[in-house]
Amino acid sequence: MRRLTKNLLILLIGLGLIGFYCEFLIYYIVTLQCGWPNLTDQNEDVLKAFILSDPHLLGPFRGHWLDKWRREWQMHQSFQAIVKVHNPDVVFVLGDLFDEGEWTNNKQFKSYVDRFHNLFSLPDHIKMYAVVGNHDIGFHNRIRRGSAERFSKLLNAPSVQHIILKDNHFVLINSMALEGDSCDLCRKAQMSIDKIAERLDLCSKKSEQCSMNNTIVKYSKPVIMQHFPLFRKSDSICTEPDAPPLPERNKLFRPKIDALSKEATDYLVRQIKPRAVFGGHTHHGCLVQHLYKQYDDIEFLEYSVPSFSWRNRPDPKYLLVSITPNSYKTIKCALPTETTLALTAVILTVLLIIYISRMRIIGRKV
């Protein structure tokens, strides 16, 4: 009887330790395997940016509650491990925060936002900026009255934002507001982009400093953050390990749905003159080299950030970006996969049972 109690106690302690490892410790072990990329100009104050995309929190309509709880727990644990281990200066979320935002009423959406802030909570010294995605408010022709406004209000995310962090300029844009028609949302977004472009152009002509919004700042080439990729015919040009699988990679993009239109892309490049562009939406990774000779040889890289959600891909990723006014460098980091978690739990449980069985056999011989 005493031996049975001892074995039961070992089993419970062992299962508890396995649960602790698989549901908490493994996230820190995986996160520690990735680190901030080093820049050559370390004399400058480096901004550390953590970029994620497409968490797609399930809402009140789709998905089983257990699936919802499981995915959100994994994203919460991953996010908190990343924040604690890497301690970024800023977090950018590139749209589709919610999977069912376009269908929810105001009360449901408020609950959605509260849940997002609980899952992706941050200490006060770390800033978060979000851009809106099509699942948050709907595609351009399906945006219900007030949907864009409530996202902007509750997430503090206007359709177009100009943010300056450590002399690095970021332009955050609502991709659905670049339809190119005369809708109120598109018209206001274009006016904001034009004003930002004018300020940036004036600032670029100053040798050292310039004034923006009554603040003295230094000019640096801006970085665009949005949900949609810039115009491309398909993902066939993507060669990253996490690019879409074949034959999905060769599927033609629908302009204004899968990516920005060529007109909107040309407009953004001409006005903003970016040094880098970050987007999401496809749920896959992609790195595209852009060169616009017709606009004074503007050249930059575009990064498509894979989804942060296990519902969208088996190997979620995120980016760590070290950036100064003169240079930047990115690194793509992995999260623990569900397969790894499941196999680890099974293997450790089997080893625990074997250990207890051998203890019983040795006990009998003694």
Side-chain angles (χ1 to χ4, degrees):
M1 189 70 177
R2 201 176 288 174
R3 189 182 300 118
L4 178 63
T5 303
K6 180 182 178 182
N7 290 338
L8 181 60
L9 183 61
I10 292 173
L11 177 64
L12 293 175
I13 293 174
L15 291 175
L17 291 174
I18 292 171
F20 175 76
Y21 177 81
C22 292
E23 299 301 327
F24 180 79
L25 193 58
I26 192 171
Y27 295 97
Y28 288 85
I29 292 173
V30 172
T31 300
L32 283 166
Q33 296 174 24
C34 201
W36 294 104
N38 292 322
L39 296 176
T40 55
D41 52 348
Q42 289 293 334
N43 292 329
E44 294 191 68
D45 194 4
V46 177
L47 178 74
K48 298 182 294 183
F50 161 28
I51 304 176
L52 67 131
S53 185
D54 296 85
H56 280 267
L57 300 186
L58 284 173
F61 306 111
R62 301 198 302 190
H64 192 272
W65 68 268
L66 183 59
D67 176 64
K68 183 189 301 185
W69 172 81
R70 183 63 183 161
R71 299 298 188 271
E72 291 183 1
W73 171 257
Q74 290 176 319
M75 284 193 285
H76 171 73
Q77 291 293 81
S78 296
F79 185 84
Q80 296 305 321
I82 293 165
V83 169
K84 288 182 174 66
V85 170
H86 297 308
N87 190 29
D89 297 311
V90 62
V91 178
F92 292 103
V93 188
L94 302 184
D96 281 358
L97 287 63
F98 315 116
D99 193 64
E100 307 166 36
E102 59 183 309
W103 303 323
T104 54
N105 59 37
N106 290 337
K107 182 178 179 181
Q108 291 167 332
F109 191 79
K110 175 64 167 60
S111 176
Y112 229 158
V113 173
D114 291 341
R115 204 164 92 238
F116 173 82
H117 285 310
N118 288 332
L119 291 171
F120 298 96
S121 58
L122 286 168
D124 293 338
H125 70 280
I126 300 178
K127 300 177 181 179
M128 175 184 282
Y129 297 97
V131 298
V132 64
N134 56 285
H135 275 269
D136 301 318
I137 63 173
F139 284 110
H140 177 270
N141 293 330
R142 294 170 55 185
I143 298 175
R144 294 187 299 169
R145 186 180 295 276
S147 295
E149 289 77 10
R150 71 184 183 184
F151 184 95
S152 176
K153 179 181 178 181
L154 295 177
L155 275 301
N156 192 25
S159 281
V160 179
Q161 294 185 78
H162 179 200
I163 298 164
I164 305 171
L165 302 170
K166 295 186 178 180
D167 293 322
N168 297 287
H169 296 255
F170 299 90
V171 182
L172 282 58
I173 299 171
N174 175 353
S175 297
M176 284 69 68
L178 297 175
E179 185 78 3
D181 60 13
S182 58
C183 77
D184 189 55
L185 181 66
C186 298
R187 184 175 53 81
K188 289 180 178 178
Q190 183 174 345
M191 289 174 59
S192 297
I193 292 170
D194 290 345
K195 288 180 180 178
I196 292 171
E198 184 179 354
R199 290 200 302 264
L200 287 170
D201 185 59
L202 289 173
C203 194
S204 67
K205 295 172 181 176
K206 302 285 186 179
S207 57
E208 290 295 331
Q209 297 177 334
C210 59
S211 176
M212 286 192 182
N213 299 326
N214 299 320
T215 303
I216 301 299
V217 299
K218 291 183 179 179
Y219 172 78
S220 62
K221 289 185 177 181
V223 176
I224 292 178
M225 298 281 186
Q226 61 179 357
H227 182 60
F228 283 3
L230 297 177
F231 175 79
R232 58 179 182 252
K233 292 183 178 180
S234 70
D235 272 339
S236 59
I237 60 175
C238 304
T239 57
E240 298 285 283
D242 48 15
L246 294 171
E248 180 186 345
R249 194 182 306 177
N250 295 324
K251 184 179 178 182
L252 293 178
F253 275 8
R254 298 161 295 174
K256 305 180 183 181
I257 295 178
D258 299 314
L260 292 185
S261 67
K262 188 176 187 309
E263 295 76 15
T265 298
D266 289 345
Y267 166 72
L268 277 184
V269 172
R270 184 176 66 249
Q271 293 294 84
I272 304 300
K273 301 176 179 61
R275 58 169 160 154
V277 175
F278 294 88
H281 190 50
T282 67
H283 300 167
H284 301 291
C286 191
L287 179 62
V288 183
Q289 176 84 43
H290 290 275
L291 174 60
Y292 288 81
K293 292 186 177 181
Q294 67 273 35
Y295 304 137
D296 299 324
D297 289 337
I298 297 175
E299 187 175 4
F300 59 89
L301 291 174
E302 178 191 4
Y303 300 83
S304 290
V305 183
S307 175
F308 198 73
S309 171
W310 282 261
R311 291 185 67 247
N312 296 327
R313 57 179 305 111
D315 56 341
K317 304 284 179 64
Y318 62 96
L319 292 187
L320 296 179
V321 184
S322 299
I323 182 167
T324 68
N326 296 313
S327 64
Y328 74 92
K329 191 175 288 187
T330 70
I331 188 168
K332 190 180 295 181
C333 306
L335 303 181
T337 66
E338 284 194 298
T339 303
T340 300
L341 290 173
L343 285 176
T344 301
V346 170
I347 291 171
L348 291 177
T349 302
V350 169
L351 290 175
L352 176 63
I353 293 172
I354 292 173
Y355 172 77
I356 293 173
S357 299
R358 289 189 174 183
M359 287 285 293
R360 291 177 62 187
I361 293 171
I362 292 173
R364 286 173 182 172
K365 287 181 178 181
V366 171

